[in-house]
């Protein structure tokens, strides 16, 4: 079973998603997140009951600026690992 | 606002990143003036972005073999080879309130200082969002990365003076995805450097041009790190930026 996928977001950055043996996810790549600790929120949302909604909510918060990938890119990679 | 200019100093990878953090903390507390610093890396080093996986990005065995250091930055972005011979790095650290709120707009403003500096050297460049400076023929000559913390903005970036692309990519693991996406035959076509365009420009001339462009229209004084910043940075270099825990964080 595939545990690592990546995608170069058009006009964005390289986004990588890894499914760990613990069932948790790790998001890596050469993107930017402001504040940086959003990344843990995104990773946690992927193991939640409704990842799509939770990821969308995180992106929608005005205080969060995620540069280099979007909701769709992340959820596409997530779906490839299911 | 009176800026502090710290002219080019050479430090290890860990110390360079530690000085950035110590300086940010001091500015956040109101203990230091907003700062522009220039620096070099010795030994040469790879820095990776905060969100990258070190082992996936960097050939650590090859780094060891070539005596090249490595460090994780606090900022996002990609892996960068900081050659002692071939690269001048800058950091600008100041209250976030003086920059545009929008991240890309603030990149554009600060990268404007770089474009002006390249202009002074007779090199035509432009800002390419998200965070690059490219030459007239589309080659990357500077990459930049920013963070905002405790009301302070830190942006640092590279000014490529010479580039040994073969050496650079011998140390980095460039994902196939990137090469395919940019549709290039060789990685040598993607980057250039100041001395590749004008071999007659010296490091001193290059440094002078960017000091001038970064301090233009800014009241500034030539200075150095305070004793407190140096002590804090020494601690951070040892307890954070040199550690496996930090560098292999993700």
């Amino acid at each position: 079973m595939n545990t690592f996928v990546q995608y170069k977001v058009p006009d964005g950055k390289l986004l990588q998603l890894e499914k760990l043996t613990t069932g948790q996810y790790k998001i890596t790549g050469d993107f930017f997140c402001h504040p940086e600790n959003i990344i843990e929120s995104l990773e946690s949302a992927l193991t939640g009951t409704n990842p799509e909604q939770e990821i969308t909510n995180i992106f929608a918060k005005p205080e969060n600026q995620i540069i280099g990938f979007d909701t769709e890119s992340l959820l596409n990679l997530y779906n490839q690992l299911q | 606002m009176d800026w502090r200019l710290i002219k080019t100093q050479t430090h290890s990878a860990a110390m360079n990143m530690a000085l950035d953090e110590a300086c940010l903390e001091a500015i956040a507390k109101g203990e230091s003036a907003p700062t522009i610093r220039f620096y070099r890396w010795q030994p040469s080093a790879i820095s990776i972005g905060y969100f990258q996986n070190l082992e996936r990005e960097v050939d650590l065995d090859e780094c060891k073999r070539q005596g090249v250091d490595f460090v994780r930055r606090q900022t996002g972005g990609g892996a960068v080879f900081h050659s002692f011979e071939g690269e001048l790095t800058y950091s600008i650290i100041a209250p976030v309130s003086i920059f545009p709120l929008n991240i890309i707009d603030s990149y554009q403003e600060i990268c404007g200082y770089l474009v002006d500096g390249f202009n002074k050297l007779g090199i035509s460049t432009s800002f390419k969002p998200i965070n690059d400076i490219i030459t007239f023929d589309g080659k990357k000559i500077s990459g930049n990365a920013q963070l905002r913390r405790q009301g302070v903005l830190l942006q640092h970036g590279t000014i490529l003076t010479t580039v040994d692309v073969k050496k650079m990519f011998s140390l980095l693991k460039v994902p196939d995805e990137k090469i395919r996406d940019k549709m290039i035959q060789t990685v040598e076509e993607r980057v250039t450097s100041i001395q590749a365009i004008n071999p007659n420009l010296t490091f001193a001339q290059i440094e002078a041009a960017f000091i001038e462009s970064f301090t233009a229209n800014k009241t500034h004084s030539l200075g150095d790190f305070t004793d407190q910043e140096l002590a804090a940075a020494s601690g951070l270099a040892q307890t954070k930026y040199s550690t496996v825990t930090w560098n292999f964080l993700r």
Side-chain angles (χ1 to χ4, degrees), chain B residues 1-6 19-20 23-24 26-27 32-38 90-95 99 152-155 214 223-225 229:
Chain B
M1 180 174 289
D2 198 17
W3 290 75
R4 174 179 55 172
L5 168 67
I6 301 177
L19 283 166
D20 269 354
C23 188
L24 183 150
I27 292 170
S32 288
T35 297
I36 296 161
R37 64 178 285 235
F38 292 91
Y90 78 90
S91 292
I92 182 165
I93 310 168
F99 297 105
V152 178
L153 181 152
L154 178 155
Q155 180 166 321
F214 270 79
D224 204 341
F225 296 104
E229 286 169 328

PDB file of all heavy atoms in Angstrom, chain B residues 1-6 19-20 23-24 26-27 32-38 90-95 99 152-155 214 223-225 229:
ATOM      1  N   MET B   1      12.478  55.643  12.080  1.00  0.00           N
ATOM      2  CA  MET B   1      12.968  54.359  12.609  1.00  0.00           C
ATOM      3  C   MET B   1      14.446  54.217  12.242  1.00  0.00           C
ATOM      4  O   MET B   1      14.799  54.374  11.079  1.00  0.00           O
ATOM      5  CB  MET B   1      12.147  53.218  12.002  1.00  0.00           C
ATOM      6  CG  MET B   1      12.570  51.839  12.467  1.00  0.00           C
ATOM      7  SD  MET B   1      11.470  50.546  11.876  1.00  0.00           S
ATOM      8  CE  MET B   1      10.018  50.836  12.847  1.00  0.00           C
ATOM      9  N   ASP B   2      15.256  53.969  13.224  1.00  0.00           N
ATOM     10  CA  ASP B   2      16.693  53.852  13.014  1.00  0.00           C
ATOM     11  C   ASP B   2      17.064  52.381  12.886  1.00  0.00           C
ATOM     12  O   ASP B   2      16.870  51.602  13.816  1.00  0.00           O
ATOM     13  CB  ASP B   2      17.443  54.486  14.187  1.00  0.00           C
ATOM     14  CG  ASP B   2      18.887  54.793  13.848  1.00  0.00           C
ATOM     15  OD1 ASP B   2      19.208  54.810  12.651  1.00  0.00           O
ATOM     16  OD2 ASP B   2      19.686  54.999  14.777  1.00  0.00           O
ATOM     17  N   TRP B   3      17.584  52.003  11.727  1.00  0.00           N
ATOM     18  CA  TRP B   3      17.955  50.614  11.461  1.00  0.00           C
ATOM     19  C   TRP B   3      19.399  50.357  11.878  1.00  0.00           C
ATOM     20  O   TRP B   3      20.252  51.242  11.853  1.00  0.00           O
ATOM     21  CB  TRP B   3      17.806  50.314   9.968  1.00  0.00           C
ATOM     22  CG  TRP B   3      16.386  50.270   9.491  1.00  0.00           C
ATOM     23  CD1 TRP B   3      15.553  51.339   9.288  1.00  0.00           C
ATOM     24  CD2 TRP B   3      15.646  49.107   9.119  1.00  0.00           C
ATOM     25  NE1 TRP B   3      14.341  50.907   8.825  1.00  0.00           N
ATOM     26  CE2 TRP B   3      14.361  49.552   8.708  1.00  0.00           C
ATOM     27  CE3 TRP B   3      15.934  47.740   9.098  1.00  0.00           C
ATOM     28  CZ2 TRP B   3      13.375  48.669   8.275  1.00  0.00           C
ATOM     29  CZ3 TRP B   3      14.948  46.863   8.645  1.00  0.00           C
ATOM     30  CH2 TRP B   3      13.684  47.325   8.253  1.00  0.00           C
ATOM     31  N   ARG B   4      19.654  49.092  12.196  1.00  0.00           N
ATOM     32  CA  ARG B   4      21.009  48.634  12.476  1.00  0.00           C
ATOM     33  C   ARG B   4      21.484  47.826  11.269  1.00  0.00           C
ATOM     34  O   ARG B   4      20.795  46.911  10.823  1.00  0.00           O
ATOM     35  CB  ARG B   4      21.040  47.768  13.732  1.00  0.00           C
ATOM     36  CG  ARG B   4      22.389  47.130  14.022  1.00  0.00           C
ATOM     37  CD  ARG B   4      22.375  46.302  15.291  1.00  0.00           C
ATOM     38  NE  ARG B   4      21.342  45.279  15.310  1.00  0.00           N
ATOM     39  CZ  ARG B   4      21.236  44.330  16.239  1.00  0.00           C
ATOM     40  NH1 ARG B   4      22.123  44.274  17.237  1.00  0.00           N
ATOM     41  NH2 ARG B   4      20.251  43.449  16.198  1.00  0.00           N
ATOM     42  N   LEU B   5      22.651  48.205  10.749  1.00  0.00           N
ATOM     43  CA  LEU B   5      23.236  47.469   9.639  1.00  0.00           C
ATOM     44  C   LEU B   5      24.428  46.682  10.167  1.00  0.00           C
ATOM     45  O   LEU B   5      25.340  47.251  10.756  1.00  0.00           O
ATOM     46  CB  LEU B   5      23.711  48.440   8.544  1.00  0.00           C
ATOM     47  CG  LEU B   5      24.606  47.849   7.449  1.00  0.00           C
ATOM     48  CD1 LEU B   5      23.830  46.849   6.600  1.00  0.00           C
ATOM     49  CD2 LEU B   5      25.190  48.952   6.577  1.00  0.00           C
ATOM     50  N   ILE B   6      24.387  45.376   9.961  1.00  0.00           N
ATOM     51  CA  ILE B   6      25.522  44.528  10.355  1.00  0.00           C
ATOM     52  C   ILE B   6      26.140  43.999   9.077  1.00  0.00           C
ATOM     53  O   ILE B   6      25.531  43.192   8.365  1.00  0.00           O
ATOM     54  CB  ILE B   6      25.074  43.388  11.283  1.00  0.00           C
ATOM     55  CG1 ILE B   6      24.418  43.960  12.545  1.00  0.00           C
ATOM     56  CG2 ILE B   6      26.265  42.497  11.651  1.00  0.00           C
ATOM     57  CD1 ILE B   6      23.869  42.915  13.508  1.00  0.00           C
ATOM     58  N   LEU B  19      21.717  33.357  15.188  1.00  0.00           N
ATOM     59  CA  LEU B  19      21.787  34.828  15.226  1.00  0.00           C
ATOM     60  C   LEU B  19      20.495  35.443  14.715  1.00  0.00           C
ATOM     61  O   LEU B  19      20.008  36.436  15.245  1.00  0.00           O
ATOM     62  CB  LEU B  19      22.988  35.316  14.408  1.00  0.00           C
ATOM     63  CG  LEU B  19      24.345  35.172  15.102  1.00  0.00           C
ATOM     64  CD1 LEU B  19      25.482  35.348  14.102  1.00  0.00           C
ATOM     65  CD2 LEU B  19      24.492  36.155  16.248  1.00  0.00           C
ATOM     66  N   ASP B  20      19.918  34.859  13.676  1.00  0.00           N
ATOM     67  CA  ASP B  20      18.623  35.342  13.178  1.00  0.00           C
ATOM     68  C   ASP B  20      17.577  35.275  14.295  1.00  0.00           C
ATOM     69  O   ASP B  20      16.809  36.209  14.518  1.00  0.00           O
ATOM     70  CB  ASP B  20      18.152  34.501  11.989  1.00  0.00           C
ATOM     71  CG  ASP B  20      18.605  35.052  10.641  1.00  0.00           C
ATOM     72  OD1 ASP B  20      19.194  36.158  10.597  1.00  0.00           O
ATOM     73  OD2 ASP B  20      18.358  34.371   9.622  1.00  0.00           O
ATOM     74  N   CYS B  23      18.314  37.702  17.237  1.00  0.00           N
ATOM     75  CA  CYS B  23      18.039  39.074  16.798  1.00  0.00           C
ATOM     76  C   CYS B  23      16.531  39.325  16.789  1.00  0.00           C
ATOM     77  O   CYS B  23      16.053  40.363  17.262  1.00  0.00           O
ATOM     78  CB  CYS B  23      18.653  39.274  15.421  1.00  0.00           C
ATOM     79  SG  CYS B  23      18.615  40.944  14.832  1.00  0.00           S
ATOM     80  N   LEU B  24      15.762  38.364  16.272  1.00  0.00           N
ATOM     81  CA  LEU B  24      14.303  38.505  16.253  1.00  0.00           C
ATOM     82  C   LEU B  24      13.759  38.658  17.671  1.00  0.00           C
ATOM     83  O   LEU B  24      12.918  39.518  17.935  1.00  0.00           O
ATOM     84  CB  LEU B  24      13.676  37.295  15.553  1.00  0.00           C
ATOM     85  CG  LEU B  24      12.153  37.298  15.381  1.00  0.00           C
ATOM     86  CD1 LEU B  24      11.752  36.519  14.127  1.00  0.00           C
ATOM     87  CD2 LEU B  24      11.433  36.731  16.578  1.00  0.00           C
ATOM     88  N   ALA B  26      15.290  39.759  20.316  1.00  0.00           N
ATOM     89  CA  ALA B  26      15.701  41.049  20.887  1.00  0.00           C
ATOM     90  C   ALA B  26      14.851  42.185  20.329  1.00  0.00           C
ATOM     91  O   ALA B  26      14.466  43.108  21.055  1.00  0.00           O
ATOM     92  CB  ALA B  26      17.179  41.293  20.606  1.00  0.00           C
ATOM     93  N   ILE B  27      14.546  42.125  19.046  1.00  0.00           N
ATOM     94  CA  ILE B  27      13.703  43.159  18.430  1.00  0.00           C
ATOM     95  C   ILE B  27      12.281  43.061  18.971  1.00  0.00           C
ATOM     96  O   ILE B  27      11.641  44.072  19.251  1.00  0.00           O
ATOM     97  CB  ILE B  27      13.744  43.037  16.894  1.00  0.00           C
ATOM     98  CG1 ILE B  27      15.138  43.399  16.382  1.00  0.00           C
ATOM     99  CG2 ILE B  27      12.682  43.921  16.244  1.00  0.00           C
ATOM    100  CD1 ILE B  27      15.381  43.085  14.914  1.00  0.00           C
ATOM    101  N   SER B  32      16.531  45.650  20.649  1.00  0.00           N
ATOM    102  CA  SER B  32      17.410  45.927  19.503  1.00  0.00           C
ATOM    103  C   SER B  32      16.634  46.645  18.426  1.00  0.00           C
ATOM    104  O   SER B  32      15.410  46.499  18.320  1.00  0.00           O
ATOM    105  CB  SER B  32      17.992  44.632  18.930  1.00  0.00           C
ATOM    106  OG  SER B  32      18.955  44.096  19.795  1.00  0.00           O
ATOM    107  N   ALA B  33      17.379  47.379  17.620  1.00  0.00           N
ATOM    108  CA  ALA B  33      16.786  48.102  16.496  1.00  0.00           C
ATOM    109  C   ALA B  33      16.480  47.128  15.362  1.00  0.00           C
ATOM    110  O   ALA B  33      17.114  46.069  15.267  1.00  0.00           O
ATOM    111  CB  ALA B  33      17.758  49.172  16.014  1.00  0.00           C
ATOM    112  N   PRO B  34      15.537  47.477  14.487  1.00  0.00           N
ATOM    113  CA  PRO B  34      15.351  46.657  13.290  1.00  0.00           C
ATOM    114  C   PRO B  34      16.677  46.528  12.565  1.00  0.00           C
ATOM    115  O   PRO B  34      17.477  47.474  12.524  1.00  0.00           O
ATOM    116  CB  PRO B  34      14.325  47.432  12.467  1.00  0.00           C
ATOM    117  CG  PRO B  34      14.243  48.789  13.068  1.00  0.00           C
ATOM    118  CD  PRO B  34      14.683  48.665  14.482  1.00  0.00           C
ATOM    119  N   THR B  35      16.898  45.349  12.028  1.00  0.00           N
ATOM    120  CA  THR B  35      18.257  44.986  11.599  1.00  0.00           C
ATOM    121  C   THR B  35      18.308  44.466  10.177  1.00  0.00           C
ATOM    122  O   THR B  35      17.416  43.729   9.738  1.00  0.00           O
ATOM    123  CB  THR B  35      18.811  43.914  12.557  1.00  0.00           C
ATOM    124  OG1 THR B  35      18.896  44.471  13.874  1.00  0.00           O
ATOM    125  CG2 THR B  35      20.198  43.433  12.128  1.00  0.00           C
ATOM    126  N   ILE B  36      19.351  44.878   9.486  1.00  0.00           N
ATOM    127  CA  ILE B  36      19.705  44.294   8.194  1.00  0.00           C
ATOM    128  C   ILE B  36      21.090  43.694   8.389  1.00  0.00           C
ATOM    129  O   ILE B  36      22.006  44.388   8.825  1.00  0.00           O
ATOM    130  CB  ILE B  36      19.745  45.369   7.094  1.00  0.00           C
ATOM    131  CG1 ILE B  36      18.349  45.967   6.888  1.00  0.00           C
ATOM    132  CG2 ILE B  36      20.266  44.793   5.787  1.00  0.00           C
ATOM    133  CD1 ILE B  36      18.368  47.313   6.168  1.00  0.00           C
ATOM    134  N   ARG B  37      21.210  42.404   8.092  1.00  0.00           N
ATOM    135  CA  ARG B  37      22.523  41.768   8.241  1.00  0.00           C
ATOM    136  C   ARG B  37      22.885  41.002   6.968  1.00  0.00           C
ATOM    137  O   ARG B  37      21.999  40.522   6.254  1.00  0.00           O
ATOM    138  CB  ARG B  37      22.578  40.834   9.455  1.00  0.00           C
ATOM    139  CG  ARG B  37      21.663  39.630   9.396  1.00  0.00           C
ATOM    140  CD  ARG B  37      21.796  38.718  10.611  1.00  0.00           C
ATOM    141  NE  ARG B  37      23.008  37.916  10.586  1.00  0.00           N
ATOM    142  CZ  ARG B  37      23.055  36.591  10.675  1.00  0.00           C
ATOM    143  NH1 ARG B  37      21.937  35.897  10.802  1.00  0.00           N
ATOM    144  NH2 ARG B  37      24.207  35.945  10.667  1.00  0.00           N
ATOM    145  N   PHE B  38      24.161  40.944   6.712  1.00  0.00           N
ATOM    146  CA  PHE B  38      24.674  40.159   5.595  1.00  0.00           C
ATOM    147  C   PHE B  38      25.635  39.134   6.165  1.00  0.00           C
ATOM    148  O   PHE B  38      26.352  39.409   7.135  1.00  0.00           O
ATOM    149  CB  PHE B  38      25.386  41.056   4.575  1.00  0.00           C
ATOM    150  CG  PHE B  38      24.441  41.984   3.857  1.00  0.00           C
ATOM    151  CD1 PHE B  38      24.195  43.251   4.353  1.00  0.00           C
ATOM    152  CD2 PHE B  38      23.789  41.576   2.705  1.00  0.00           C
ATOM    153  CE1 PHE B  38      23.305  44.110   3.708  1.00  0.00           C
ATOM    154  CE2 PHE B  38      22.896  42.429   2.051  1.00  0.00           C
ATOM    155  CZ  PHE B  38      22.653  43.691   2.549  1.00  0.00           C
ATOM    156  N   TYR B  90      21.372  37.483   3.098  1.00  0.00           N
ATOM    157  CA  TYR B  90      20.910  38.655   3.846  1.00  0.00           C
ATOM    158  C   TYR B  90      19.790  38.209   4.772  1.00  0.00           C
ATOM    159  O   TYR B  90      19.100  37.223   4.524  1.00  0.00           O
ATOM    160  CB  TYR B  90      20.373  39.756   2.902  1.00  0.00           C
ATOM    161  CG  TYR B  90      18.983  39.443   2.392  1.00  0.00           C
ATOM    162  CD1 TYR B  90      17.833  39.863   3.080  1.00  0.00           C
ATOM    163  CD2 TYR B  90      18.808  38.669   1.256  1.00  0.00           C
ATOM    164  CE1 TYR B  90      16.569  39.518   2.639  1.00  0.00           C
ATOM    165  CE2 TYR B  90      17.543  38.320   0.804  1.00  0.00           C
ATOM    166  CZ  TYR B  90      16.424  38.756   1.498  1.00  0.00           C
ATOM    167  OH  TYR B  90      15.169  38.407   1.063  1.00  0.00           O
ATOM    168  N   SER B  91      19.620  38.969   5.854  1.00  0.00           N
ATOM    169  CA  SER B  91      18.413  38.865   6.677  1.00  0.00           C
ATOM    170  C   SER B  91      17.940  40.280   6.976  1.00  0.00           C
ATOM    171  O   SER B  91      18.766  41.159   7.273  1.00  0.00           O
ATOM    172  CB  SER B  91      18.675  38.156   8.010  1.00  0.00           C
ATOM    173  OG  SER B  91      18.973  36.797   7.841  1.00  0.00           O
ATOM    174  N   ILE B  92      16.667  40.471   6.894  1.00  0.00           N
ATOM    175  CA  ILE B  92      16.061  41.717   7.329  1.00  0.00           C
ATOM    176  C   ILE B  92      15.056  41.352   8.415  1.00  0.00           C
ATOM    177  O   ILE B  92      14.218  40.463   8.227  1.00  0.00           O
ATOM    178  CB  ILE B  92      15.429  42.504   6.151  1.00  0.00           C
ATOM    179  CG1 ILE B  92      14.854  43.837   6.638  1.00  0.00           C
ATOM    180  CG2 ILE B  92      14.424  41.703   5.379  1.00  0.00           C
ATOM    181  CD1 ILE B  92      14.553  44.811   5.500  1.00  0.00           C
ATOM    182  N   ILE B  93      15.205  41.972   9.575  1.00  0.00           N
ATOM    183  CA  ILE B  93      14.427  41.589  10.756  1.00  0.00           C
ATOM    184  C   ILE B  93      13.873  42.876  11.362  1.00  0.00           C
ATOM    185  O   ILE B  93      14.646  43.746  11.799  1.00  0.00           O
ATOM    186  CB  ILE B  93      15.309  40.852  11.783  1.00  0.00           C
ATOM    187  CG1 ILE B  93      16.103  39.730  11.101  1.00  0.00           C
ATOM    188  CG2 ILE B  93      14.452  40.270  12.908  1.00  0.00           C
ATOM    189  CD1 ILE B  93      17.206  39.129  11.949  1.00  0.00           C
ATOM    190  N   ALA B  94      12.550  43.020  11.365  1.00  0.00           N
ATOM    191  CA  ALA B  94      11.957  44.298  11.766  1.00  0.00           C
ATOM    192  C   ALA B  94      10.497  44.092  12.180  1.00  0.00           C
ATOM    193  O   ALA B  94       9.895  43.071  11.836  1.00  0.00           O
ATOM    194  CB  ALA B  94      12.036  45.272  10.596  1.00  0.00           C
ATOM    195  N   PRO B  95       9.913  45.048  12.897  1.00  0.00           N
ATOM    196  CA  PRO B  95       8.501  44.933  13.259  1.00  0.00           C
ATOM    197  C   PRO B  95       7.636  44.682  12.025  1.00  0.00           C
ATOM    198  O   PRO B  95       7.795  45.353  10.991  1.00  0.00           O
ATOM    199  CB  PRO B  95       8.197  46.283  13.897  1.00  0.00           C
ATOM    200  CG  PRO B  95       9.506  46.742  14.456  1.00  0.00           C
ATOM    201  CD  PRO B  95      10.532  46.250  13.479  1.00  0.00           C
ATOM    202  N   PHE B  99       5.584  46.469   7.301  1.00  0.00           N
ATOM    203  CA  PHE B  99       5.488  45.783   6.009  1.00  0.00           C
ATOM    204  C   PHE B  99       4.026  45.524   5.674  1.00  0.00           C
ATOM    205  O   PHE B  99       3.160  45.535   6.535  1.00  0.00           O
ATOM    206  CB  PHE B  99       6.249  44.447   6.073  1.00  0.00           C
ATOM    207  CG  PHE B  99       7.725  44.604   6.313  1.00  0.00           C
ATOM    208  CD1 PHE B  99       8.273  44.331   7.561  1.00  0.00           C
ATOM    209  CD2 PHE B  99       8.566  45.032   5.299  1.00  0.00           C
ATOM    210  CE1 PHE B  99       9.633  44.475   7.799  1.00  0.00           C
ATOM    211  CE2 PHE B  99       9.930  45.174   5.524  1.00  0.00           C
ATOM    212  CZ  PHE B  99      10.457  44.910   6.774  1.00  0.00           C
ATOM    213  N   VAL B 152       7.246  40.394  14.822  1.00  0.00           N
ATOM    214  CA  VAL B 152       8.452  40.705  14.048  1.00  0.00           C
ATOM    215  C   VAL B 152       8.455  39.884  12.762  1.00  0.00           C
ATOM    216  O   VAL B 152       8.085  38.714  12.760  1.00  0.00           O
ATOM    217  CB  VAL B 152       9.722  40.392  14.875  1.00  0.00           C
ATOM    218  CG1 VAL B 152      10.991  40.661  14.052  1.00  0.00           C
ATOM    219  CG2 VAL B 152       9.735  41.234  16.146  1.00  0.00           C
ATOM    220  N   LEU B 153       8.882  40.513  11.689  1.00  0.00           N
ATOM    221  CA  LEU B 153       9.035  39.830  10.407  1.00  0.00           C
ATOM    222  C   LEU B 153      10.521  39.575  10.193  1.00  0.00           C
ATOM    223  O   LEU B 153      11.345  40.475  10.374  1.00  0.00           O
ATOM    224  CB  LEU B 153       8.481  40.704   9.278  1.00  0.00           C
ATOM    225  CG  LEU B 153       8.519  40.154   7.843  1.00  0.00           C
ATOM    226  CD1 LEU B 153       7.382  40.756   7.015  1.00  0.00           C
ATOM    227  CD2 LEU B 153       9.834  40.410   7.150  1.00  0.00           C
ATOM    228  N   LEU B 154      10.832  38.350   9.827  1.00  0.00           N
ATOM    229  CA  LEU B 154      12.197  38.003   9.422  1.00  0.00           C
ATOM    230  C   LEU B 154      12.129  37.489   7.993  1.00  0.00           C
ATOM    231  O   LEU B 154      11.367  36.565   7.703  1.00  0.00           O
ATOM    232  CB  LEU B 154      12.785  36.930  10.345  1.00  0.00           C
ATOM    233  CG  LEU B 154      14.214  36.428  10.026  1.00  0.00           C
ATOM    234  CD1 LEU B 154      14.864  35.888  11.286  1.00  0.00           C
ATOM    235  CD2 LEU B 154      14.255  35.335   8.976  1.00  0.00           C
ATOM    236  N   GLN B 155      12.866  38.097   7.109  1.00  0.00           N
ATOM    237  CA  GLN B 155      13.028  37.532   5.774  1.00  0.00           C
ATOM    238  C   GLN B 155      14.514  37.395   5.517  1.00  0.00           C
ATOM    239  O   GLN B 155      15.286  38.324   5.735  1.00  0.00           O
ATOM    240  CB  GLN B 155      12.384  38.402   4.696  1.00  0.00           C
ATOM    241  CG  GLN B 155      12.558  37.801   3.282  1.00  0.00           C
ATOM    242  CD  GLN B 155      11.652  38.439   2.250  1.00  0.00           C
ATOM    243  OE1 GLN B 155      10.498  38.742   2.514  1.00  0.00           O
ATOM    244  NE2 GLN B 155      12.189  38.646   1.060  1.00  0.00           N
ATOM    245  N   PHE B 214      19.559  47.970   0.271  1.00  0.00           N
ATOM    246  CA  PHE B 214      18.765  47.626   1.454  1.00  0.00           C
ATOM    247  C   PHE B 214      18.611  48.810   2.409  1.00  0.00           C
ATOM    248  O   PHE B 214      17.627  48.911   3.130  1.00  0.00           O
ATOM    249  CB  PHE B 214      19.393  46.438   2.210  1.00  0.00           C
ATOM    250  CG  PHE B 214      18.884  45.100   1.754  1.00  0.00           C
ATOM    251  CD1 PHE B 214      19.364  44.508   0.595  1.00  0.00           C
ATOM    252  CD2 PHE B 214      17.909  44.432   2.476  1.00  0.00           C
ATOM    253  CE1 PHE B 214      18.889  43.282   0.158  1.00  0.00           C
ATOM    254  CE2 PHE B 214      17.428  43.193   2.059  1.00  0.00           C
ATOM    255  CZ  PHE B 214      17.918  42.615   0.897  1.00  0.00           C
ATOM    256  N   GLY B 223      26.440  48.710  12.871  1.00  0.00           N
ATOM    257  CA  GLY B 223      26.500  48.165  14.216  1.00  0.00           C
ATOM    258  C   GLY B 223      26.905  46.718  14.240  1.00  0.00           C
ATOM    259  O   GLY B 223      27.409  46.172  13.252  1.00  0.00           O
ATOM    260  N   ASP B 224      26.694  46.090  15.366  1.00  0.00           N
ATOM    261  CA  ASP B 224      27.014  44.672  15.554  1.00  0.00           C
ATOM    262  C   ASP B 224      25.971  44.088  16.506  1.00  0.00           C
ATOM    263  O   ASP B 224      25.152  44.809  17.092  1.00  0.00           O
ATOM    264  CB  ASP B 224      28.416  44.512  16.125  1.00  0.00           C
ATOM    265  CG  ASP B 224      29.027  43.155  15.812  1.00  0.00           C
ATOM    266  OD1 ASP B 224      28.269  42.216  15.469  1.00  0.00           O
ATOM    267  OD2 ASP B 224      30.259  43.008  15.926  1.00  0.00           O
ATOM    268  N   PHE B 225      26.013  42.791  16.666  1.00  0.00           N
ATOM    269  CA  PHE B 225      25.130  42.136  17.633  1.00  0.00           C
ATOM    270  C   PHE B 225      25.527  42.583  19.038  1.00  0.00           C
ATOM    271  O   PHE B 225      26.692  42.824  19.330  1.00  0.00           O
ATOM    272  CB  PHE B 225      25.231  40.615  17.500  1.00  0.00           C
ATOM    273  CG  PHE B 225      24.755  40.106  16.171  1.00  0.00           C
ATOM    274  CD1 PHE B 225      25.653  39.699  15.203  1.00  0.00           C
ATOM    275  CD2 PHE B 225      23.393  40.041  15.881  1.00  0.00           C
ATOM    276  CE1 PHE B 225      25.216  39.245  13.964  1.00  0.00           C
ATOM    277  CE2 PHE B 225      22.945  39.587  14.648  1.00  0.00           C
ATOM    278  CZ  PHE B 225      23.856  39.193  13.688  1.00  0.00           C
ATOM    279  N   GLU B 229      22.607  39.317  22.527  1.00  0.00           N
ATOM    280  CA  GLU B 229      22.248  38.558  21.317  1.00  0.00           C
ATOM    281  C   GLU B 229      23.270  37.462  21.039  1.00  0.00           C
ATOM    282  O   GLU B 229      22.910  36.335  20.680  1.00  0.00           O
ATOM    283  CB  GLU B 229      22.135  39.495  20.104  1.00  0.00           C
ATOM    284  CG  GLU B 229      20.877  40.360  20.111  1.00  0.00           C
ATOM    285  CD  GLU B 229      20.921  41.448  19.064  1.00  0.00           C
ATOM    286  OE1 GLU B 229      22.025  41.958  18.747  1.00  0.00           O
ATOM    287  OE2 GLU B 229      19.842  41.827  18.550  1.00  0.00           O
TER     288      GLU B 229
END
